[in-house]
């Protein structure tokens, strides 16, 4: 009888758990649990205390779930009245930001049950034959024309020949459709072109990418009238027009919605006729290409005080397109962004009158500017800036790995020292994650998705990872990269990093307000609908009840899922990856997805609208979502490349690093939760045995450095599209050539070093003298002596730095 009692308890608890875990329909779980309880009661298997506990719990839950009218009348309706008083309505600006773009894989991660097969079923992003040919030919030719030292330090501009080549080969028309004379390239091609150019010159890459991201070309393609498209797009594609887009003002940077620049609809004269138009006043700054632009995209607040075009007086943010030759337009002055030479400067205008049809999309698009900007902003965030970050990481990986193998201290390659090895490991792992995320995010855009949240994640984290990668490289190169000159490939990359971090939404803003702030309301399966129903004056109580009950089921399901995952360590979660080492990490990502869903729901329920102002909590929840996205990108990259064995250590390092950062973020959220008891309870549910994840171990860190230090398929794949010069005097050429030789030279160097140790060769000799002495003593052969001397000449050139005349005007060496 006691055994029957134990089995009965287990069965009922199991049914309750299963019903919640899988979110069974109300009637289904009511019937299943009810039948079980009735059966065990009649059979007498349950003792009185258990009968009372189970029946009370069951009846309360069943009555609450099934008596819809009573629940709506006595619970939902009073709650609605309270919530309507406390919750502010969604503003038009917030609504447009929410509606702009799409949710994608990040929604799967936010909801706690990511369907990995769905991610892996997405086709691998690839270049077309035409795009690949452009990268291999036109982009390769362009890179060969660039000298970043001359661009940034001498000319402070691209050469006239480079500008002409960019126009001739339609670099400014990559995203413009072929029907308008553009190249019609994919987002991946756009990204790849920027990557390759940026590994040669950041300044050239920025000048190239801006016309292809947020600007007149992109806006006209999506919203322009046929007349505007037919006139401007072919001219933009051919480089006859140089575009810029002016959004940022002195008092409206990250808060672009508070644009102070105005347009007043009024009567005015245009082409000798009296017409209805707009009188503009603006003062913009930080506008890339503004100093040389021929056509100016302009964001202003539009007003109609005389009601010349409609009943509304405050029409809203509007985007206009203005030839820079138009009377009153001021351009030409330049900013000097961290000594880089891409064109950037202010533009101003006072009482500039334009006709209404200069609004992008025509008069009907007046007031639609914020939505247009939000929908197109994801291009800069998901393509251009991640491409720059990836370029910085790729060139750092390729060149710093080679340098660390070739540079010797204490007769040992510096890559052998654990301190250097640690820095190299972060470069290696960071580059793998950056490339994986770039590929997946660009691939999403090519699926005609505008991934608003994913693009914010990519922009923030790729620029931050790149900043870390470049900083580690600076530490490794030390004095070698502190000295400016043509030999220094890293200085301008180091200078450029804060620029990417600042533009298209400063990283602090992106992390604290956008990733989770917009992610929560867009990705949560019920939150947006609940807010809409609560703030609407015409809410049907039945609709709100239905959504709230679904949300309750979702919360309870995630609560029990986290309890089960925590107690079992997630060992029984399904994982689709074949490799056993990686499979365990995939399980943990699903576990942490459920943890994010639970913590986010608890935060939203307890903090409500005040969560907006709790930026630290929002940022840390955003960190959890971001690390899940980065880890997903790594798994997708690994899957798309047929799960190669060479990548396993890189994948394990990346996933372990992401999980470790998720652990830190979740600890920070729960340890600082406003209601300490709730934080402690959630911590126990999710991590019942304490900390679950730690940073990658030293041996794994060591393993991922190895492919950096010699020619390998993985090194070539990770640094694909990193420009390597064919000029024998350039550092990139010398590094690659020396790396090819070092494996053959190192055994000979060891023989020479051993001979010096045993005094067969005098230690006071210089290197060439030691080689000659060893040759004469028969320690090495003539071929070995020749190889050593040739290698030493190459190595010496690699570690040299530039010298200048006293006035710093002339490069001497």
């Amino acid at each position: 009888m006691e055994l029957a009692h134990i089995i009965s308890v287990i069965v009922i608890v199991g049914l309750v758990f299963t019903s919640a875990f899988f979110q069974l329909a109300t009637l289904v779980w009511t019937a299943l649990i009810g039948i079980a309880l009735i059966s065990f009661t009649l059979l007498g298997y349950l003792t009185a205390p258990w009968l009372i506990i189970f029946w009370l719990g069951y009846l309360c839950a069943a009555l609450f779930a099934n008596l819809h009218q009573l629940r709506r009348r006595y619970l939902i309706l009073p709650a609605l009245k309270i919530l309507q008083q406390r919750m502010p309505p969604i503003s038009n600006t917030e609504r447009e930001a929410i509606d702009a773009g799409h949710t994608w894989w990040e929604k799967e991660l936010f909801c706690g049950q990511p369907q990995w097969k769905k991610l892996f079923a997405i086709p691998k992003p690839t270049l077309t034959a035409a795009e690949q040919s452009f990268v291999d030919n036109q982009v390769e030719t362009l890179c060969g024309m660039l000298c970043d030292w001359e661009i940034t330090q001498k000319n402070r501009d691209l050469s006239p020949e480079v500008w002409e080549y960019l126009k001739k080969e339609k670099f400014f028309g990559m995203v413009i459709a072929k029907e308008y004379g553009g190249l019609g390239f994919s987002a991946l091609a756009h990204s790849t072109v920027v990557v390759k150019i940026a590994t040669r010159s950041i300044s050239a890459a920025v000048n190239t990418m801006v016309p292809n991201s947020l600007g007149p070309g992109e806006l006209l393609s999506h919203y322009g009238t046929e007349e505007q498209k037919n006139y401007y797009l072919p001219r933009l594609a051919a480089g006859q027009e140089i575009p810029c887009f002016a959004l940022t003002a002195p008092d409206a940077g990250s808060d672009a919605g508070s644009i102070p620049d105005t347009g007043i609809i009024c009567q005015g004269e245009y082409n000798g006729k009296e017409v209805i138009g707009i009188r503009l006043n603006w003062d913009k700054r930080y506008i890339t290409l503004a100093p040389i632009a021929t056509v100016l995209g302009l964001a202003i607040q539009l007003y109609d005080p005389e009601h010349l075009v409609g009943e509304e007086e405050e029409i809203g943010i509007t985007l206009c397109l203005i030839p820079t030759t138009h009377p009153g337009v001021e351009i030409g002055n330049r900013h000097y962004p961290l000594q880089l030479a891409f064109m950037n400067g202010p533009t101003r205008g006072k009482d500039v009158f334009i006709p209404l049809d200069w609004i992008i999309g025509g008069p009907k698009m007046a007031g639609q500017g914020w939505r247009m900007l939000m929908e197109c902003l994801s291009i800069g965030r998901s393509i251009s800036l991640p491409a720059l970050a990836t370029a910085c990481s790729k060139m750092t990986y390729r060149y710093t790995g080679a340098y660390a193998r070739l540079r010797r201290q204490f007769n040992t390659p510096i890559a052998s020292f654990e301190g250097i090895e640690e820095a190299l490991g972060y470069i290696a792992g960071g580059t793998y994650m950056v490339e994986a995320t770039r590929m997946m995010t660009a691939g999403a855009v090519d699926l005609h998705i505008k991934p608003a949240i994913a693009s914010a994640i990519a922009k923030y984290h790729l620029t931050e990872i790149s900043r870390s990668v470049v900083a580690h490289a600076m530490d490794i190169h030390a004095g070698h990269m502190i000295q400016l000159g043509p030999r220094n490939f890293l200085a301008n990359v180091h200078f450029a990093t804060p620029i990417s971090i600042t533009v298209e939404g400063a990283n602090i803003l992106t992390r604290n307000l956008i990733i989770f702030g917009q992610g929560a309301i867009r990705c949560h399966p019920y939150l947006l609908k609940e807010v809409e129903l609560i703030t609407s004056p015409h809410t049907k109580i039945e609709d709100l009840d239905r959504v709230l009950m679904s949300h309750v089921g979702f919360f309870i399901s995630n609560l029990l899922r986290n309890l089960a995952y925590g107690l079992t360590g997630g060992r029984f979660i399904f994982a689709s990856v074949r490799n056993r080492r990686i499979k365990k990490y995939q399980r943990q990502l699903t576990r942490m997805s459920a943890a994010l869903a639970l913590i986010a729901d608890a935060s939203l329920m307890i903090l409500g609208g005040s969560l907006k102002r709790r930026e630290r909590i929002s940022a840390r929840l955003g960190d959890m979502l971001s690390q899940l996205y980065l880890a997903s990108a790594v798994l997708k990259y690994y899957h798309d490349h047929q799960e190669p064995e060479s990548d396993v250590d890189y994948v394990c390092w990346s996933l372990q690093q992401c999980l470790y950062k998720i652990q830190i973020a979740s600890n920070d959220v729960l340890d600082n939760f406003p209601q300490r008891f709730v934080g402690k309870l959630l911590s126990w549910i999710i991590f019942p045995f304490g900390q679950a994840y730690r940073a990658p171990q030293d041996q794994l860190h060591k393993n991922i450095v190895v492919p950096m230090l010699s020619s390998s398929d993985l090194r070539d794949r990770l640094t694909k599209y990193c420009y390597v010069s064919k000029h024998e005097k350039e550092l990139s050429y010398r590094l690659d050539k020396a790396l090819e030789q070092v494996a053959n030279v190192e055994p000979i160097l060891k023989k020479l070093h051993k001979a010096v140790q045993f005094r067969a060769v005098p230690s006071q000799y210089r290197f060439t003298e030691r080689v000659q002495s060893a040759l004469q003593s028969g320690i090495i052969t003539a071929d070995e002596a020749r190889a050593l001397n040739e290698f030493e000449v190459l190595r010496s050139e690699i570690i040299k730095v530039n010298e200048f005349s006293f006035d710093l005007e002339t490069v001497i060496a």
Side-chain angles (χ1 to χ4, degrees), residues 245-410:
F245 187 79
L247 176 61
T248 305
D251 291 317
S254 297
D255 184 15
S258 63
I259 294 170
D261 309 287
T262 60
I264 307 298
I265 295 178
C266 61
Q267 296 278 352
E269 186 177 317
Y270 178 68
N271 283 346
K273 296 180 180 179
E274 189 79 11
V275 297
I276 295 176
I278 308 171
R279 192 167 302 283
L280 300 168
N281 286 277
W282 75 88
D283 181 6
K284 304 286 192 180
R285 64 180 182 181
Y286 310 152
I287 311 305
T288 300
L289 294 182
I292 60 168
T294 62
V295 59
L296 167 69
L298 184 68
I300 48 97
Q301 293 279 4
L302 186 62
Y303 301 91
D304 184 13
E306 298 178 36
H307 302 286
L308 296 175
V309 297
E311 296 300 318
E312 292 187 37
E313 184 170 325
E314 296 185 10
I315 296 177
I317 295 175
T318 300
L319 310 184
C320 305
L321 204 57
I322 310 165
T324 56
T325 55
H326 190 66
V329 177
E330 296 180 26
I331 62 165
N333 291 343
R334 290 179 67 175
H335 298 312
Y336 197 14
L338 290 176
Q339 297 188 23
L340 297 186
F342 63 89
M343 287 293 163
N344 186 270
T347 175
R348 299 178 182 89
K350 183 174 176 59
D351 293 331
V352 178
F353 184 80
I354 65 169
L356 278 176
D357 58 8
W358 285 11
I359 294 174
I360 296 177
K364 72 178 186 298
M365 297 302 288
Q368 300 298 309
W370 186 245
R371 176 178 64 84
M372 295 158 69
L373 289 172
M374 289 298 99
E375 289 179 349
C376 288
L377 196 59
S378 61
I379 302 299
R381 286 179 176 161
S382 59
I383 304 300
S384 303
L385 294 170
L388 284 184
T390 304
C392 296
S393 299
K394 281 176 177 282
M395 64 192 297
T396 300
Y397 180 103
R398 189 174 187 93
Y399 301 153
T400 305
Y403 178 82
R405 175 76 182 275
L406 300 169
R407 183 77 167 97
R408 301 175 74 86
Q409 293 283 289
F410 309 106

Side-chain angles (χ1 to χ4, degrees), residues 417-528:
F417 296 99
E418 288 193 352
I420 300 295
E421 185 181 78
E422 182 178 12
L424 287 171
Y426 285 116
I427 292 171
T431 301
Y432 195 89
M433 293 170 67
V434 163
E435 173 67 351
T437 307
R438 176 188 79 92
M439 294 286 290
M440 187 169 95
T441 310
V445 176
D446 284 330
L447 294 172
H448 305 293
I449 295 166
K450 295 179 181 176
I453 308 306
S455 66
I457 292 171
K459 188 270 174 180
Y460 173 78
H461 285 279
L462 268 59
T463 55
E464 291 292 345
I465 292 171
S466 175
R467 168 154 60 179
S468 173
V469 164
V470 172
H472 283 301
M474 290 293 291
D475 289 345
I476 293 169
H477 287 273
H480 185 235
M481 287 294 140
I482 287 175
Q483 305 302 329
L484 286 176
R487 292 175 181 269
N488 191 322
F489 76 89
L490 201 54
N492 284 336
V493 172
H494 182 61
F495 295 155
T497 301
I499 299 173
S500 295
I501 282 166
T502 299
V503 300
E504 301 284 7
N507 275 10
I508 291 177
L509 166 83
T510 302
R511 176 175 179 259
N512 284 266
L513 296 178
I514 295 178
I515 294 175
F516 182 80
Q518 288 188 15
I521 202 162
R522 293 169 66 98
C523 296
H524 195 287
Y526 306 108
L527 182 60
L528 179 58

Side-chain angles (χ1 to χ4, degrees), residues 18 166 379 667:
T18 302
L166 288 168
I379 302 299
N667 287 350

